[in-house]
Amino acid sequence: MSILTYSKSPQRAARRDLTDDEVAEIQEAFQLFDSDNSGFIEYRELKAALKALGFPAKKADVRSKMAQYDKEDTGKINLHQFQLLLTDAMLSKDPADLFSRAFQLFDTTRTGGIRVQDLRMIASELGHAIEEEDLVGMIQEFDRNHDGVIDAEEFQRIMVSTEVF
């Protein structure tokens, strides 16, 4: 039986619910950071994995996590233990912080709102040629207060309605 259950709901019902993408990300990370293909991740590999995945990677934090999940005190963790560790880490992330950081990525002009020029810049950086009218349409579709920008509250509605968060 898997340690993880899957949910498409933005409000995860169970403590261990992760999306399919999150589970795949964990497995990919394990394979990537198990640099010697031993089937285990040691302290230095765990530290690199946590840092790469955006989690605290201070020496004390990593040692604490290693001790918590390395029940046999071997100095290394296997895929199952790594999945438990990252599942707990992912599910304990503060959703408000995640929304805020995601919003800041889109608010490229740091004006407190996502404007057409922000979408144009992001599309360009990603190599997508999107027509101006389509960019304007994106803003208009989600701009509930009709001020011409997507503010943080409107952005959060988008993320929740599309089940990104």
Side-chain angles (χ1 to χ4, degrees), residues 137-152:
M138 287 179 203
I139 297 291
Q140 290 173 342
E141 181 177 349
F142 298 104
D143 181 16
R144 297 175 65 105
N145 62 4
H146 308 288
D147 63 356
V149 300
I150 302 298
D151 60 34

Side-chain angles (χ1 to χ4, degrees), residues 20-106:
D20 293 341
D21 289 341
E22 289 169 328
V23 171
E25 183 179 353
I26 289 172
Q27 291 171 339
E28 243 179 80
F30 184 85
Q31 292 170 351
L32 179 67
F33 290 99
D34 178 16
S35 56
D36 59 358
N37 295 317
S38 66
F40 294 94
I41 289 184
E42 298 174 4
Y43 167 83
R44 65 177 174 71
E45 294 166 326
L46 179 60
K47 182 174 175 126
L50 290 172
K51 186 174 183 178
L53 294 170
F55 295 104
K58 293 181 181 171
K59 190 176 192 175
D61 294 331
V62 178
R63 288 200 188 281
S64 172
K65 288 189 183 313
M66 183 64 81
Q68 181 180 352
Y69 293 92
D70 176 18
K71 300 294 185 192
E72 296 82 33
D73 198 26
T74 61
K76 53 191 175 186
I77 58 175
N78 61 29
L79 175 59
H80 176 76
Q81 293 161 325
F82 186 71
Q83 285 177 321
L84 288 172
L85 185 153
L86 283 188
T87 298
D88 288 345
M90 286 177 159
L91 294 177
S92 67
K93 278 188 171 181
D94 178 13
D97 181 50
L98 294 174
F99 281 122
S100 176
R101 289 194 298 169
F103 181 76
Q104 290 171 8
L105 291 173
F106 282 89

Side-chain angles (χ1 to χ4, degrees), residues 120-154:
R120 186 182 316 110
M121 180 182 293
I122 291 166
S124 175
E125 286 176 7
L126 295 174
H128 297 288
I130 300 176
E131 298 291 326
E132 187 76 11
E133 68 184 56
D134 292 333
L135 296 172
V136 170
M138 287 179 203
I139 297 291
Q140 290 173 342
E141 181 177 349
F142 298 104
D143 181 16
R144 297 175 65 105
N145 62 4
H146 308 288
D147 63 356
V149 300
I150 302 298
D151 60 34
E153 183 179 316
E154 292 162 334

